[in-house]
Amino acid sequence: MINELERIINSENKKKPLTDKEIAERMNLSREKITLMRKENGIPSSKARMKPLLKKEIEKILTDKKNISKRKLTQILQDKGFAASRHIVRKEYDLIIDRENKAPENNQVVKEENCFSNIIGAELSLKTQIQQAKAAVLYPPHGLHTLIIGESGVGKSYLAEQMYRFAVQENKIKNDKFVVFNCADYAENPQLLYSHLFGHKKGSFTGAEKDKDGLIKRADNGILFLDEVHRLSSEGQEMLFNVIDNGFYRKLGETDNKEKINLMIIAATTEDIKSNLLATFRRRIPLIIDLPPLNKRSLEEKLKFIKHFISRESRQIEQKIILKYEAARALLSFEPENNIGQLESKIKEICARAYLNFISSNSNEVKITLDLFNLKIQRSFFEGSVNREDIKKLIKNDIILSPEQEEILKMAEKNKYKFDNNIYKYLEEKNKELYSLGFTKEEINQKLNELLAEKVKNVFSQAEESLFEDGKLLNELVDNKVLDMVNDVLVIIHRELPEYVLNNRLKYAIAMHLDAVIERIKSGKIIKHPDLEEIKKSNNKLYNISKKIIKYLNEEYRLQIPRDEVGYITMYLNNLDMNQSPNRTSAQPAIIVISHGGVASEMLKVANWLIGDSKAKAIDMHLDQPPMQILDELIYTAKKIDQGKGILLLVDMGSLKSFGDVITERTGIKTRVIPRVDTVMLMEAIRWAKFDNLELDDLVSRIYHSSNKYSRTKRKEVILIYCITGEGAALRVKDYLINRIPELENQYEIITTGIHDKNINHYINKLEKNYNLNAVIGNLKPDRQVNNFYDFEKIYSEAGFDRFIEKLNLKNKLKSKNNPQLLLNKNLIYLKPKVKNKEEALKFLSQKLIRAGVVKESYYKAVKEKENWSVTYVGDGIAIPHADSKHVNYSQFALAILEEKIEWSGFKVDVICMFAFKDLETENFRKFYSKLKKKLSFIKKAEEIEVVKEALING
């Protein structure tokens, strides 16, 4: 089992190592089992396995970009394929910078105070403890063994880690020589405890398949931190004080050899040491550091903890957080049972609630208010546990906490109009962030839209039109290279379309688009245009201009912009064209966007600014407003803007999705609904709706198709086959297609259904919301327009079948017409079927071929007619009944081997081979019959169908 674990880990992507959960799924074991196996065998966690490569890559990036921000660094690493969170990157970044600052020029080192200066209270309530910690580390030769005691959550582990950093700084130990062991993990299993700490010899116990070093070996010439040391059994404590006394240890199962060890032990416990630790063990720990609980520390330090934790959350969400005056007073009064640890946990929870309020409202500030606290914290201020006058001395107003320091804040103010120009990447980042805060998928969909609208709202509401006109905003959003490209593009457009006045919206939109294109090319994510040929056909002049633009950019800037981008540039030009052409009066599908909060209006404002004014309407729904209250306004708006081509309703979530049927029922206006709307989708809808003669269903199909380019999960490719009377005929068509195209199911999911109990239009609508619907095959055409529809008669015809495989690009997937292996399906071989006469045999095999989709319903009747005027007995007890090829869908044999011979036109028959031929040459039939005759005696004795097929195919 361990070999399998090592094999999986050795073959993993080193930039994105497998988690214990992912490994457990592969090995069909529990995650706990994998974690235990990994630890027992000294295999690092996924994060630890990634760190060496991550560290190397960070150092490489910092060589070229010393002033890069941690956020940008994280993004670069993620683009390179690392599964690295901002927290991990920040930690490695800080270690690298600390190391660079500590050594080099003029043999200077960082002052020792820096290692402990970030401990709150280092110069106040913890001054003595910090001095003890320094003395313990500096004591020759390897430091003093130390026991840190104190209640849960007072910072024992944190102090131990700072002692390690201090030891590295003072060159007492090397980096990465801090080994942590939680004694509670193996408290009840002394053998595993011994193995984990000291290692073991091969064969020392069941499962010990090879020699293994323990944690003590890893901590040699370093520090071993034993957390929850009180959970060690008496035997475990004795093991340790023998190491302390003698400086030697033996592996489990070792009887002769002893290994020398030099290390410093730091232990921590929350319990009374006299009751829980052996006196012999306590005597061997010369230094005890007692950390006080939070209520024994000053109010000033408590406020520093509060600010520190909120500042950290501020960095996490990249927003300043305002701690309201009353809320700050309540937090200072709150006495958490688990000290600093519980205070930190509560503040994280409170900040998450504040952030939820921020992204679900029109506020541009994250505020921590009293109503976000639970009753226990709210009451703490009024119960007087802390002197109010002392609180007043510390705080007098709201406290504002920002993600970065003051100079960085100034830089952020300079860039206040900037937002991520790659919207897709922006959505993905925020999705991860919200998920980490515990939101549900439904909430995340809503919050992403609100957050996006809020972010772009800040851009457009704060910026004056003059800011856009003089290019200030554009300079903030894209680099100089993109600006040069845009200016060149505008020159080409002006030369090709001199009759139009170019506006700043076009410049802005093309700049944003080209910037995103370059990012996609760099990351290898090439986006396909959903309907390039339609664009070319509808806007040939603009299409050709766009081709010139892309060709110029590729040649001049040495890019590889794909052909599909011609379609998108054409759409931008098309908006410019139509916005200035007064004679464009053809009807279009009307668009209404509706969502919770004030988001719909902001999305529409941004969309109209970027691609030109539209006739789309926005309706904002209050978060606490019942859906039915908004319905009257929605129906009024639908009636007002309908141009006779129906209404497209773009909604965010929830019950709004059901409004389409209600509008149609009450107004008679055809309405289609698309959920999970965002600004990008709205822009796509407005663009496509402006195309002449585009029907509502076409618009919906294009939006679903186009939306795949920024969907985080790939939608399934689907073919739908339905029959009005039941699923049987649909299954026969499926078998027919699979037989002729064996790899069809590898590329498409084929859904079959009967529609006697369904509304086929609604059923197709539902499929389109969840899948890419590539083709629809049925015996009754739906009322709505469907791309790639084929009725049964056409799909069975050669012309219709050829059109089907051409549309779905399946020509190279067809089976060879002359492949004998595909002429005999094991599901059409029958051993000892219960047929008593010729009539039953013909009916039995015909029905099997019909149900398999090999032949048409008329085949059985045609076979019987042929038997009336010809003899199909061919000798050796074999009959080969058949019918004309016009009754056949594709070539196939059905074979029945009888237990008893039956009468067949005056002959005795026990092998019946019903032959359906469509496009098969005579030679193929002759070869098949030759094998059948040659292997006849063997086949008649066969007990398994696979044996029969093998004999007839391979001899």
Side-chain angles (χ1 to χ4, degrees), residues 563-596:
R563 173 174 171 263
D564 291 74
E565 293 296 342
V566 174
Y568 289 102
I569 299 296
T570 303
M571 292 176 71
Y572 289 116
L573 299 183
N574 184 65
N575 283 299
L576 177 70
D577 183 2
M578 288 187 292
N579 288 333
Q580 299 184 63
S581 299
N583 298 323
R584 289 276 259 260
T585 57
S586 59
Q588 305 168 2
I591 298 171
I592 302 175
V593 56
I594 177 171
S595 67
H596 296 77

Side-chain angles (χ1 to χ4, degrees), residues 657-669:
K657 291 185 288 188
S658 64
F659 278 3
D661 291 337
V662 179
I663 294 172
T664 301
E665 182 182 336
R666 294 197 187 180
T667 65
I669 300 172

Side-chain angles (χ1 to χ4, degrees), residues 457-474:
K457 175 186 175 182
N458 290 340
V459 173
F460 295 108
S461 63
Q462 296 179 38
E464 299 294 332
E465 185 67 23
S466 60
L467 186 61
F468 291 93
E469 290 175 354
D470 63 18
K472 288 180 181 177
L473 179 62
L474 205 52

Side-chain angles (χ1 to χ4, degrees), residues 906-939:
F907 301 94
K908 293 294 182 179
V909 167
D910 57 357
V911 177
I912 307 163
C913 181
M914 184 168 280
F915 180 32
F917 64 92
K918 181 75 174 177
D919 48 13
L920 203 63
E921 296 175 359
T922 306
E923 183 61 26
N924 295 109
F925 170 72
R926 187 177 293 114
K927 288 180 180 178
F928 181 82
Y929 175 68
S930 175
K931 283 189 177 180
L932 176 63
K933 189 175 180 180
K934 187 177 179 180
K935 295 292 180 181
L936 193 60
S937 60
F938 176 79
I939 290 170

